[in-house]
Amino acid sequence: MKRKRLSKNEIDDKIHHIRSTYDDYMVRFIKSSNAREAFERRYREALATRIELDRFLEVELKVAQEMCAREEKRLRKAEELALRSQNGGTNGRGNGVNGNGAGGAGGQGMGNGEEEPQGDFADRYIEKLKQRAEKYPVAGLESGEVWEVDHLYGALQKLEREIWPPVDRVYRKIYPSRYDGPRITLENKLLELAEARMGGVPQVLHTLQMLLGRFPRNYREIEWEIKQTILKASFFLHDARGELEKLLHESYLADSDRIAAKTAYEYIEGIIADFRLKDLKQK
């Protein structure tokens, strides 16, 4: 029996589903936009060559879902290994994590004679990311399960309290009216993301804080909220970096004003690099 062709609306829905899957892949696993851009190139080629979209989109959706599944599996394995390491304790020597991981200080190989598992690599990678995040303060979520969000928003709080005030004074000189230039937009967004409110954390973290306090926890909702909070922070950081870059190109800035702008710009650049936010920009 001949398969019924997809309607235009069904094709549009499937394309939207694929794009949403790649967006989730980028945010959930902090990946670059390369995979999504590659899909867009293949889609344009498919349109240009007029191949049958039904089969093409079916395969593309399966590819995107399999990518997410692989990363999810790696992430879960890393979390399990990290949890076992915390419970059982390890000093990085001898047989490695719980006696069957990679050899520690000398890299002496596997305790069970096999190749190093992917999860062990992921575990070390996560630890490296944690070390980079720990240079920043925490926002007060008080949960090791969301260490990245806690330090990311702690970094924003440091920006708001210590680094942004000199920049704000520069903008006040250039734009005497509060409603001129980028000042009011950046200031309002930074306060929304960084100012501690009820519960001792910024308002945008209230939902995540509430979800973490519930038992049993709904990890699907927690993961969704983590994505949203990271996106909000990343969008602001990229916007602020762009405005500061423009400011640094102004020839009339006094030396002290240029130093203030450059300090803020470099601090924001550091946050973007340390939390792997390079590709999480607003389209």
Side-chain angles (χ1 to χ4, degrees):
M1 183 177 178
K2 190 175 180 180
R3 186 173 60 178
K4 183 181 176 182
R5 299 286 295 272
L6 295 176
S7 67
K8 184 181 183 304
N9 286 341
E10 289 172 329
I11 287 174
D12 290 343
D13 287 344
K14 188 150 284 192
I15 292 169
H16 176 72
H17 190 181
I18 293 169
R19 286 171 173 160
S20 296
T21 302
Y22 277 116
D23 287 344
D24 286 344
Y25 174 79
M26 289 164 56
V27 176
R28 174 75 178 92
F29 307 109
I30 317 298
K31 297 290 185 179
S32 75
S33 58
N34 291 345
R36 160 126 186 206
E37 290 167 0
F39 160 70
E40 297 293 349
R41 286 195 300 273
R42 293 192 298 271
Y43 177 51
R44 287 194 296 271
E45 290 170 3
L47 291 176
T49 55
R50 303 192 177 195
I51 69 171
E52 183 184 342
L53 287 181
D54 299 48
R55 177 62 179 162
F56 169 78
L57 294 176
E58 180 182 326
V59 172
E60 287 289 340
L61 179 58
K62 184 177 180 181
V63 167
Q65 290 172 335
E66 286 178 350
M67 287 176 63
C68 289
R70 283 198 303 270
E71 290 299 323
E72 185 69 36
K73 184 177 179 181
R74 289 178 184 177
L75 185 61
R76 293 299 181 198
K77 181 88 179 231
E79 290 173 348
E80 290 170 8
L81 285 167
L83 184 60
R84 288 205 300 269
S85 176
Q86 289 173 3
N87 292 338
T90 179
N91 60 4
R93 292 186 171 84
N95 293 327
V97 179
N98 287 339
N100 59 5
Q108 297 298 318
M110 301 300 299
N112 56 9
E114 298 176 359
E115 293 183 3
E116 180 178 357
Q118 194 74 26
D120 191 65
F121 170 80
D123 189 33
R124 292 201 311 276
Y125 179 68
I126 288 174
E127 285 303 314
K128 182 179 179 181
L129 296 180
K130 285 183 177 181
Q131 289 172 10
R132 294 173 68 175
E134 282 172 355
K135 72 173 75 167
Y136 303 99
V138 294
L141 286 171
E142 299 179 350
S143 173
E145 294 178 75
V146 290
W147 57 267
E148 187 169 27
V149 175
D150 209 4
H151 284 285
L152 175 58
Y153 276 79
L156 288 173
Q157 288 182 324
K158 181 177 178 179
L159 174 66
E160 188 264 330
R161 293 168 184 167
E162 301 177 19
I163 296 168
W164 194 257
V167 177
D168 185 61
R169 287 193 287 273
V170 176
Y171 276 128
R172 286 173 187 266
K173 291 180 189 177
I174 301 173
Y175 305 106
S177 169
R178 178 176 174 81
Y179 299 100
D180 288 338
R183 177 184 155 220
I184 185 171
T185 303
L186 293 175
E187 180 184 87
N188 288 346
K189 179 57 68 173
L190 182 55
L191 284 174
E192 177 189 336
L193 294 173
E195 188 176 37
R197 302 287 179 87
M198 181 179 63
V201 297
Q203 185 174 349
V204 295
L205 297 182
H206 284 173
T207 300
L208 182 56
Q209 186 182 51
M210 176 190 69
L211 291 171
L212 290 169
R214 286 181 181 173
F215 293 96
R217 287 175 171 164
N218 186 325
Y219 284 98
R220 184 178 294 274
E221 288 187 13
I222 289 173
E223 287 182 4
W224 169 257
E225 197 60 32
I226 287 172
K227 291 179 187 177
Q228 299 311 304
T229 55
I230 290 175
L231 277 178
K232 288 174 184 177
S234 185
F235 289 169
F236 165 77
L237 288 166
H238 281 286
D239 288 346
R241 181 178 66 171
E243 293 297 339
L244 288 169
E245 191 170 17
K246 293 177 190 175
L247 187 59
L248 285 168
H249 282 102
E250 298 291 353
S251 59
Y252 54 76
L253 283 185
D255 288 345
S256 59
D257 293 342
R258 191 173 299 279
I259 290 171
K262 187 177 181 182
T263 298
Y265 179 84
E266 290 176 348
Y267 180 74
I268 289 172
E269 280 270 274
I271 298 174
I272 290 171
D274 288 334
F275 290 92
R276 293 108 52 233
L277 304 176
K278 179 182 176 182
D279 294 298
L280 296 184
K281 309 175 187 177
Q282 283 180 303
K283 300 293 183 183

